[in-house]
Amino acid sequence: MELKQLRCFLAVADELHFGRAAVRLNMLPTALGRQVRLLEEELGTALLRRTTRQVTLTVAGAALAAEARAILEHAAAASRMVRGLAQMPDETLRIGAIDSAAAGLLPELLARFRALHPRIEIRLVEAKSVEILPQLRGGRLDLGFIRPPAAPEPGLAFRLLLQEHPVAVLPRRHPLAGRRRLHLAELAGLPLILPPRHARPHSHDGVMRLFASLGLSPRVVQEAEEKQTIVNLVAAGIGIAMLPEWAARMRVPGVVFRPLELPEGTTLPEWGLGMAWYGHAACAARDLFLAMLEQDGTA
């Protein structure tokens, strides 16, 4: 049975007149009659009794009329549902990103991805690496832009995208502020503002590792979690700080950012930035994002 045949039969069943049913369907009466005959031949029984004066339903026709109405209503509902879904995003890509990625790396990548796949909705969650990993593990995020994990984790894929470098943040009136570049050893005795390790282990350990590479211990005078807070504390003259290079984009009066000269061979594992995801969790949108990066050589 075809839906067109059912529509034709039901129109005749409602009107009990081929002429009126044909007008209702905007068809020729002969074409309408042919569709009904094809349906009767397929079912092997007469659905209508036709005389020169009237059209009536057979028992089989009356039974089919009720079923045909339900079938056509169901088909119309399915059509509305599919058309409605066509107006919605094909899929959602849930991305978690640390501040370095959200401020420096992601805006351009997301713009390119949206241009390639405008129907995919992107939900961005800004958080710390230690908060993003559990959400990836629990399936609440599809992709995370984080610092390198401290240890390999079964099922977790990680791809390093770039290596950030630290910059020194100093009050504008500081004696070292006039220098274009600074040596790490020059900062060892200065009061330092540092993120607490429990909240930002990568940021904390990255700074401590740099000083330890010279056999030095920094003089920590204040802890603060957020980079904006740290920069404002520097502006207030409480101390200096060491932040990822993207932080130099912040415009805070009374503060300067200076690149650091590091000893040759210094490694910066905590200052790396990359993507993490669980390969066993299927996500077509995530795979499209990864394919985009592979194609343009970003990853």
Side-chain angles (χ1 to χ4, degrees), residues 53 93 118 123 194:
R53 294 189 175 185
L93 177 60
R123 296 180 185 172
L194 190 66

Side-chain angles (χ1 to χ4, degrees), residues 89-91 93 110-122 284-285 287-292 295:
D90 289 338
E91 196 167 349
L93 177 60
L110 293 185
R112 283 160 46 201
F113 187 72
R114 286 181 183 277
L116 290 172
H117 306 285
R119 299 186 61 77
I120 295 180
E121 178 185 356
I122 299 173
D287 293 342
L288 288 172
F289 194 96
L290 296 175
M292 178 192 77
Q295 187 173 11

Side-chain angles (χ1 to χ4, degrees), residues 5-279:
Q5 294 172 347
L6 291 177
R7 289 191 188 95
C8 291
F9 164 70
L10 194 57
V12 178
D14 288 342
E15 300 290 342
L16 295 178
H17 192 282
F18 276 85
R20 290 193 298 270
V23 171
R24 172 173 154 181
L25 297 176
N26 195 26
M27 297 176 65
L28 292 173
T30 52
L32 174 63
R34 181 173 181 275
Q35 293 297 321
V36 174
R37 283 195 302 275
L38 287 173
L39 180 61
E40 290 178 318
E41 288 173 5
E42 181 180 346
L43 295 176
T45 186
L47 302 173
L48 300 166
R49 292 192 185 90
R50 309 162 177 84
T51 68
T52 55
R53 294 189 175 185
Q54 64 179 359
V55 176
T56 58
L57 290 168
T58 64
V59 173
L64 180 61
E67 294 296 327
R69 200 178 309 278
I71 291 170
L72 292 174
E73 288 176 355
H74 187 74
S79 178
R80 288 192 299 271
M81 178 190 69
V82 171
R83 288 195 177 97
L85 290 173
Q87 305 303 316
M88 297 172 62
D90 289 338
E91 196 167 349
T92 299
L93 177 60
R94 303 164 300 172
I95 296 177
I98 64 172
D99 47 13
S100 285
L105 178 65
L106 265 182
E108 181 183 350
L109 293 181
L110 293 185
R112 283 160 46 201
F113 187 72
R114 286 181 183 277
L116 290 172
H117 306 285
R119 299 186 61 77
I120 295 180
E121 178 185 356
I122 299 173
R123 296 180 185 172
L124 180 61
V125 175
E126 297 178 68
K128 305 164 190 172
S129 294
V130 293
E131 297 168 336
I132 291 172
L133 276 171
Q135 294 188 65
L136 286 171
R137 198 178 299 121
R140 298 189 298 278
L141 290 175
D142 305 308
L143 190 61
F145 286 78
I146 62 173
R147 299 295 182 193
E153 185 173 326
L156 180 69
F158 179 81
R159 185 176 300 168
L160 186 68
L161 296 177
L162 58 89
Q163 180 67 58
E164 289 195 282
H165 296 276
V167 295
V169 191
L170 300 95
R172 184 172 295 278
R173 297 183 180 276
H174 194 279
L176 295 176
R179 303 265 298 277
R180 297 191 64 177
R181 302 182 74 86
L182 297 173
H183 292 275
L184 182 61
E186 297 175 289
L187 308 178
L190 301 178
L192 180 70
I193 303 166
L194 190 66
R197 192 179 191 285
H198 69 85
R200 292 189 179 273
H202 289 85
S203 298
H204 180 279
D205 291 354
V207 174
M208 298 299 288
R209 184 190 294 270
L210 286 176
F211 282 104
S213 69
L214 298 179
L216 301 172
S217 297
R219 183 160 65 94
V220 180
V221 297
Q222 179 68 56
E223 289 189 337
E225 287 191 29
E226 303 302 328
K227 291 177 176 60
Q228 184 68 53
T229 303
I230 292 173
V231 173
N232 286 332
L233 291 171
V234 172
I238 293 175
I240 67 163
M242 292 174 61
L243 296 176
E245 53 197 324
W246 73 264
R249 300 180 183 184
M250 288 190 274
R251 296 291 181 260
V252 178
V255 168
V256 297
F257 298 85
R258 295 291 181 260
L260 284 175
E261 290 282 359
L262 301 176
E264 187 175 349
T266 301
T267 59
L268 303 169
E270 291 89 0
W271 301 81
L273 179 59
M275 296 184 302
W277 69 95
Y278 278 87

